[in-house]
Amino acid sequence: MSKNQNKTGSYSFFNCIEKNFDKAAQFISIEKGLLEQIKACNSVYRMHFPVKIGKEIKVIEAYRVQHSHHKLPCKGGIRYSMKVNQDEIMTLAALMTYKCAIVDVPFGGAKGGIKIDPQTISSENIEKITRRYTSELIKKNFIGPGIDVPAPDYGTGEREMSWIFDTFLSLRSGDVDALACVTGKPVSQGGVRGRKEATGLGVFYGIRELCHVKEDMYSVGLDVGLVGKKIIIQGLGNVGYHAASFFHESGAIIIALAEREGAIYNEKGLNVSKVFLHLKNNGSILNFPEAKNIKKTEKALELECDILIPAALENVIHKNNANRIKAKIIGEAANGPITPEADEILDKKGVIIVPDIYLNAGGVTVSYFEWLKNLSHVRYGRMEKKFRENVNAEFLKVIKTVCKKPISIEEKKMILRGPREIDLVRSGLEDTMINGFHKICDLKKSLKIGNMRTAAFVLSINKIIDSYERLGIFP
Ligand code: GLU
């Protein structure tokens, strides 16, 4: 049994990430102490607070973990789930550290969690809990635009973020940068356009980039390009929902969608927007008229497909089902969906795994844009939109004089258009995901690393080491 395994022989979630880290550390020659410091969780704040729900007082268990302070503020989502525990939040905070470094987002990693099931609690009570949690964070100096900036995660969204912001503002009135204390806010409350779909869109950009690499596609017996690829998506929360829509729009075939209650399957492809309408009207994806039901949702992971996208919770692919996975590519839209044992099995089978610390970094990338917007107090595009439109109008005049063919109204509109906030956010995200992908692949090649996960960790650790150099303690 290795030192990372517990008495039952399985790994804690945090140990799983340490294991991935240790594999990468073999490719880095730096003092062991620094690697230990990067790996360790800097601060763990575990709290219990009372909230009156109905006539009863309920004691709520919650966490905020700051894994790394090598860059400030710390950054990471807050999840609401009954599975929340210290090990989980520590691990997710660590993943945030590595994720931010890969996509050049200047934050330390953090994560928060409240152990509640939001589906069984009224929104009034969720609001009470969220506001109390925020004031606990303020009390301990665990939140603030330059300290630690939460965001949405599993079980939370724009609504919770605006409660957090409002609570922060009421206790820190006069802080001109208060809007930057949390990201993922509604646009009307200082959010940025494009944040909601950012993680799903980032997943799409990352997988699309991989599908354009001939060598990789041939290694798993697939053609180049995303069009026609058969995809399964597990989890239709914010990330899975948007990823599914982007893949569908780009010409990929979504053959199965899996949710908690079961999965649906159609070999010829599901019409994603119709499925979502069905889900909205019926409260379940099951019994969608153009698909077969699969009762056991885990079975959907084992269907024949080209690309599998786990987009819900951690550890869904483990040593007991890894051998039955038939996907040629797995894109980790969720954090930590594959255990280390399963990772080894899949690696041996030649499956390409696009790791979470790169693939789901789209959310925090656009959170970074939102934070910058809040600190600069100006909407993206406000300064240059009209200027670009004026320049484009000049271009149009030149085109008209040299071009014999008439220009259609649609073409004119396209040429004249100046960049809106959503255009700038999306192009920033696309560029980030493309760059990140190639940096990982270049390193994988140059150091002859066997898989993308280890290469991604090496890239990330190297970047963190660079930022520690300011301390002057390392060569
Ligand atoms: N919860 C998201 C994640 O796991 C977003 C974090 C953020 O935007 O700070 O990456």
Side-chain angles (χ1 to χ4, degrees):
M1 204 182 295
S2 95
K3 75 173 175 45
N4 284 339
Q5 280 167 293
N6 64 23
K7 281 181 206 140
T8 60
S10 60
Y11 295 97
S12 80
F13 194 20
F14 194 74
N15 291 154
C16 295
I17 305 306
E18 288 190 312
K19 206 165 182 260
N20 290 328
F21 184 103
D22 292 341
K23 278 188 196 162
Q26 294 166 11
F27 294 89
I28 299 167
S29 49
I30 188 95
E31 204 187 302
K32 205 168 161 261
L34 177 57
L35 292 173
E36 290 303 318
Q37 168 55 35
I38 294 173
K39 228 174 19 169
C41 243
N42 287 9
S43 321
V44 179
Y45 177 21
R46 178 173 185 219
M47 62 201 101
H48 285 98
F49 52 80
V51 173
K52 195 149 189 202
I53 296 188
K55 286 193 178 125
E56 271 178 71
I57 292 177
K58 290 256 187 254
V59 179
I60 306 290
E61 179 182 333
Y63 300 86
R64 184 71 185 173
V65 173
Q66 296 172 348
H67 173 261
S68 173
H69 297 124
H70 73 287
K71 297 245 165 157
L72 287 172
C74 297
K75 190 84 188 78
I78 295 178
R79 63 172 50 189
Y80 290 180
S81 142
M82 285 309 287
K83 288 197 177 147
V84 161
N85 61 58
Q86 186 172 324
D87 176 54
E88 182 195 47
I89 302 301
M90 281 170 65
T91 313
L92 297 169
L95 288 173
M96 287 307 302
T97 296
Y98 306 124
K99 200 184 294 187
C100 290
I102 288 184
V103 288
D104 280 329
V105 163
F107 296 139
K111 200 75 161 199
I114 305 186
K115 192 171 175 181
I116 51 169
D117 178 0
Q119 291 190 331
T120 61
I121 302 179
S122 68
S123 62
E124 288 78 12
N125 287 326
I126 297 179
E127 176 173 356
K128 252 195 226 169
I129 294 168
T130 306
R131 288 185 182 277
R132 177 64 194 255
Y133 174 74
T134 310
S135 50
E136 294 292 327
L137 294 179
I138 297 172
K139 224 159 60 183
K140 293 274 188 222
N141 214 17
F142 258 68
I143 183 171
I147 298 168
D148 188 344
V149 180
D153 198 83
Y154 187 85
T156 59
E158 289 184 343
R159 183 185 66 167
E160 286 73 16
M161 301 309 116
S162 52
W163 289 330
I164 292 175
F165 164 59
D166 186 57
T167 310
F168 184 85
L169 188 64
S170 66
L171 294 168
R172 289 272 191 274
S173 64
D175 182 345
V176 71
D177 290 327
L179 265 179
C181 79
V182 62
T183 61
K185 301 176 292 294
V187 174
S188 60
Q189 307 281 312
V192 75
R193 287 162 188 82
R195 172 63 185 85
K196 212 172 180 177
E197 66 275 26
T199 312
L201 184 55
V203 168
F204 167 77
Y205 287 143
I207 295 292
R208 186 190 65 183
E209 211 49 29
L210 169 71
C211 288
H212 283 124
V213 181
K214 253 194 214 163
E215 257 179 281
D216 285 328
M217 289 303 99
Y218 292 171
S219 78
V220 288
L222 293 174
D223 291 334
V224 174
L226 202 50
V227 177
K229 292 267 183 308
K230 294 193 168 177
I231 301 187
I232 296 173
I233 297 184
Q234 181 249 355
L236 291 180
N238 182 47
V239 180
Y241 166 85
H242 285 108
S245 306
F246 289 116
F247 282 121
H248 181 65
E249 279 164 27
S250 75
I253 304 170
I254 309 292
I255 58 163
L257 291 169
E259 254 298 349
R260 288 192 212 193
E261 70 274 15
I264 53 170
Y265 172 73
N266 181 343
E267 199 192 359
K268 297 214 171 74
L270 297 160
N271 181 325
V272 171
S273 35
K274 277 195 190 166
V275 174
F276 291 134
L277 194 66
H278 173 85
L279 173 63
K280 213 174 143 202
N281 294 335
N282 301 284
S284 164
I285 53 169
L286 294 179
N287 303 322
F288 180 64
E290 293 152 33
K292 270 191 231 152
N293 282 344
I294 299 174
K295 271 197 197 136
K296 279 199 165 173
T297 188
E298 313 84 70
K299 286 285 157 209
L301 301 170
E302 299 168 17
L303 296 168
E304 197 86 50
C305 69
D306 299 322
I307 305 172
L308 173 63
I309 308 280
L313 286 173
E314 53 267 19
N315 298 338
V316 291
I317 303 178
H318 41 78
K319 62 175 188 257
N320 301 324
N321 65 359
N323 259 320
R324 295 196 296 270
I325 302 284
K326 297 178 195 74
K328 297 172 179 104
I329 297 166
I330 303 179
E332 293 186 323
N335 289 308
I338 304 179
T339 66
E341 296 97 330
D343 209 33
E344 272 166 30
I345 297 171
L346 294 163
D347 211 25
K348 275 191 199 126
K349 284 190 1 171
V351 177
I352 300 177
I353 297 171
V354 189
D356 48 4
I357 54 169
Y358 157 68
L359 194 65
N360 69 34
V364 75
T365 301
V366 176
S367 275
Y368 172 46
F369 301 156
E370 181 175 334
W371 182 76
L372 292 174
K373 173 186 179 179
N374 295 153
L375 293 177
S376 65
H377 301 263
V378 63
R379 184 187 74 236
Y380 287 104
R382 177 162 178 185
M383 306 299 280
E384 69 266 39
K385 186 166 178 285
K386 192 67 198 143
F387 170 75
R388 276 257 60 102
E389 284 174 358
N390 292 343
V391 172
N392 292 352
E394 294 300 318
F395 273 142
L396 190 63
K397 272 190 212 157
V398 177
I399 296 170
K400 273 182 185 162
T401 56
V402 294
C403 179
K404 288 190 187 92
K405 212 178 120 233
I407 299 168
S408 71
I409 295 182
E410 282 312 304
E411 285 168 335
K412 254 188 218 166
K413 266 195 198 157
M414 202 184 70
I415 296 168
L416 287 176
R417 197 167 67 113
R420 299 164 302 166
E421 181 166 86
I422 185 75
D423 303 316
L424 294 167
V425 163
R426 288 204 172 165
S427 76
L429 173 61
E430 185 173 7
D431 192 49
T432 302
M433 294 309 292
I434 294 174
N435 274 334
F437 180 85
H438 291 289
K439 277 189 197 152
I440 296 169
C441 292
D442 292 349
L443 202 66
K444 181 170 168 275
K445 243 190 210 155
S446 67
L447 295 183
K448 298 193 174 61
I449 301 173
N451 60 65
M452 268 189 90
R453 189 187 312 281
T454 304
F457 266 93
V458 175
L459 176 65
S460 177
I461 297 167
N462 278 336
K463 289 201 178 181
I464 298 167
I465 290 171
D466 285 349
S467 57
Y468 267 104
E469 277 177 0
R470 75 176 196 281
L471 300 177
I473 27 177
F474 305 107

